[in-house]
Structures are given as C-alpha cells and as structure tokens.
Amino acid sequence: MSFLTEEQKTLANEISDMLVARGEKVSVAESSTGGLISAALLWVPGASRYYAGGGVVYTLKSRTALAGANPDDYKEYRGTTPVLLEKLGAAMQGRLESHWTVAESGLAGPPGARVAAAGKTTVAIIGPVTKTEVLETGNDDREENMVLFTTHALRLFRDALTEASR
C-alpha cells in the first residue's frame, strides 16, 4: 500500500532528477496538504541531496515560528491569496536558504469554514522562476482535496523547474 499516487511518484522522481542535476535544494511551507508535499519529495531515495526542509504551517503561530512569516501580513486575513503565499514561500526560502520553495495553503474541507470555500488552495513556487496558482476543485472531501492539492503543487513545481532549465 502506498500513500502516494502513481502520478505523485512520477512527479517526485522528475523533480528529484532535475534538482540533483542542477545542484539545487527545495524547501516546503505547506498547510492544507498536511505534509503530503514533503512526503512525496522525501519518498525518493537520496532526498537529502535536494530537500532542505519544511514545515506544516497550519496556524499563524506555525507560519511565524517555522517559516518566519510576518504576522502583520495576516492582520486582515480573509483567506489565502497569491500575495500571501509568495511572501510565505519567500520567508521559508530565506529561513532554510533553499534555491526553491513550494508554499501551499487553502481549505481542504469540510465545508462551512469562516474564510473560504472548501476545495480551494493557493500554491506558490518561489525560486529562479516564480509561479502562483489558485486551484478550486469544487469538492468538499477533505482527503481527496489534500491529494489533489499535493498533485497540483508537484506539477506546478515540476513546470517551474522545466521553465528554469530553458
């Protein structure tokens, strides 16, 4: 039994190969994926060659303590935005001195949250190429969204790495 999908394994291997070939490291600041992005990246043997570290930054306290996020950025918090995720990613990148950071935050479910609809996440890739996307699944199944958010983040990171190689 595997906790990763076949696509996630394929993406993790592609990402690993590109990072190792480039001599670069990645850090991760993730929230609603609950550590699944890091788990996918760490699933590849030899991950210490490219994985700088990361954290599940599920609360404001963890965002400031683990990633070094500025609490002032969250004073008027009404849900995750691309700007917030880029700042969070940059903070983690600086904290861990990585070439790249994958930052993710959203709401996996169930419905009824105060600030955003279930099934919505924002992913930011910070590095030589910066990419930010919002994903809305239209789904309120927590587990399914966590898997979809993880796959989306890995795809976006692979695409950024590919773009940076051109």
Side-chain angles (χ1 to χ4, degrees):
M1 181 173 105
S2 178
F3 61 92
L4 297 175
T5 67
E6 290 305 312
E7 182 179 5
Q8 290 169 347
K9 290 177 183 179
T10 298
L11 288 163
N13 275 313
E14 290 173 7
I15 289 165
S16 167
D17 289 346
M18 286 189 267
L19 288 171
V20 169
R22 296 164 64 104
E24 295 176 342
K25 293 202 176 238
V26 62
S27 58
V28 179
E30 58 189 308
S31 177
S32 58
T33 53
L36 292 175
I37 297 168
S38 290
L41 294 171
L42 291 167
W43 169 82
V44 179
S48 60
R49 294 177 294 165
Y50 61 86
Y51 185 82
V56 178
V57 292
Y58 201 72
T59 63
L60 177 57
K61 186 172 186 174
S62 62
R63 288 172 192 222
T64 57
L66 298 175
N70 183 345
D72 291 340
D73 291 339
Y74 294 87
K75 282 189 176 178
E76 302 292 323
Y77 186 75
R78 298 285 181 265
T80 304
T81 66
V83 170
L84 277 177
L85 260 289
E86 288 177 13
K87 288 180 177 183
L88 177 65
M92 182 64 91
Q93 183 181 37
R95 174 116 338 155
L96 293 179
E97 299 178 352
S98 59
H99 300 90
W100 297 90
T101 296
V102 178
E104 176 279 332
S105 184
L107 181 64
R114 298 169 293 150
V115 295
K120 180 178 180 181
T121 193
T122 304
V123 178
I125 308 300
I126 308 300
V129 170
T130 297
K131 290 184 161 301
T132 307
E133 286 187 4
V134 175
L135 172 67
E136 295 186 55
T137 66
N139 185 350
D140 63 9
D141 182 281
R142 185 177 184 85
E143 181 178 357
E144 188 173 331
N145 281 328
M146 290 173 76
V147 171
L148 292 170
F149 295 173
T150 299
T151 303
H152 183 76
L154 293 170
R155 282 185 200 140
L156 191 63
F157 185 35
R158 188 256 340 257
D159 293 350
L161 285 165
T162 300
E163 189 175 322
S165 295
R166 292 185 190 143

